[in-house]
Amino acid sequence: MVKIYQTIPCNFDSSIQVVSCFVHFSKSFILLERASNEADPGAWGIPGGKMEEQESPFQAMKRELFEETSLEANMSLRMLGSLFFRRPAIDYTLQVFELQLKEPPKIYLSEEHSSYEWVTPLQMKEFKLIPGTIQVYRYFYQNVRSL
Ligand SMILES: Nc1nc2c([nH]c(=O)n2[C@H]2C[C@H](O)[C@@H](COP(=O)(O)OP(=O)(O)OP(=O)(O)O)O2)c(=O)[nH]1
């Protein structure tokens, strides 16, 4: 259903760039549930979305974080790296970030999402996730080099 590569695969269409972010507070990170009128309704994922033309990955990530959670990312926004996603109908590059929060944040959702949860890595497995979310977590936080 989804194949994830560390290096660019053959004939990859690199026109679509997506940014996403692990927002950590204490031992948890935030998951957002896609609203019923969105693509893949009811699926849970970390904040993110498609990069717009003229945006840098950092600008796109700050914009998406603000739109989706109302968080204003500061200097502590860090890029972890990129992975290449191949789904049956679409290729895209996922640029993955992390943001470590020291204070409990106030979250305001947009209409794109219906709810949010702070989850530990173990709890994440209980959610109906956007495919690839666990592999991405493992890759960046548990040093699993094969996806
Ligand atoms: N938000 C988010 N998207 C992810 C994750 N993993 C992953 O493969 N994706 C994919 C699913 C979506 O096809 C794509 C993001 O698309 P989106 O629909 O949320 O983007 P957007 O907010 O810019 O929305 P749009 O109006 O342009 O459709 O990235 C993830 O963890 N979070």
Side-chain angles (χ1 to χ4, degrees), residues 8 12-18 50-53 90-93:
I8 193 160
F12 190 80
D13 174 3
S14 47
S15 58
I16 301 177
Q17 306 267 343
V18 175
K50 297 184 199 82
M51 260 172 71
E52 289 172 7
E53 269 179 49
I90 192 170
D91 288 342
Y92 55 91
T93 307

Side-chain angles (χ1 to χ4, degrees), residues 26-41:
S26 187
K27 293 188 164 44
S28 302
F29 61 89
I30 199 166
L31 286 180
L32 309 177
E33 182 183 25
R34 295 175 78 96
S36 53
N37 55 339
E38 293 289 322
D40 213 358

Side-chain angles (χ1 to χ4, degrees), residues 86-135:
R86 176 155 270 174
R87 293 189 197 272
I90 192 170
D91 288 342
Y92 55 91
T93 307
L94 187 71
Q95 315 243 26
V96 185
F97 291 77
E98 70 174 3
L99 178 66
Q100 191 78 54
L101 300 173
K102 294 194 175 73
E103 307 289 331
K106 193 94 189 94
I107 302 293
Y108 296 97
L109 295 178
S110 71
E111 290 182 349
E112 281 178 54
H113 296 105
S114 50
S115 57
Y116 69 90
E117 293 282 349
W118 292 95
V119 300
T120 63
L122 270 180
Q123 290 168 333
M124 153 171 75
K125 292 166 192 159
E126 295 160 17
F127 289 75
K128 186 189 130 196
L129 298 166
I130 295 172
T133 304
I134 290 177
Q135 290 94 317

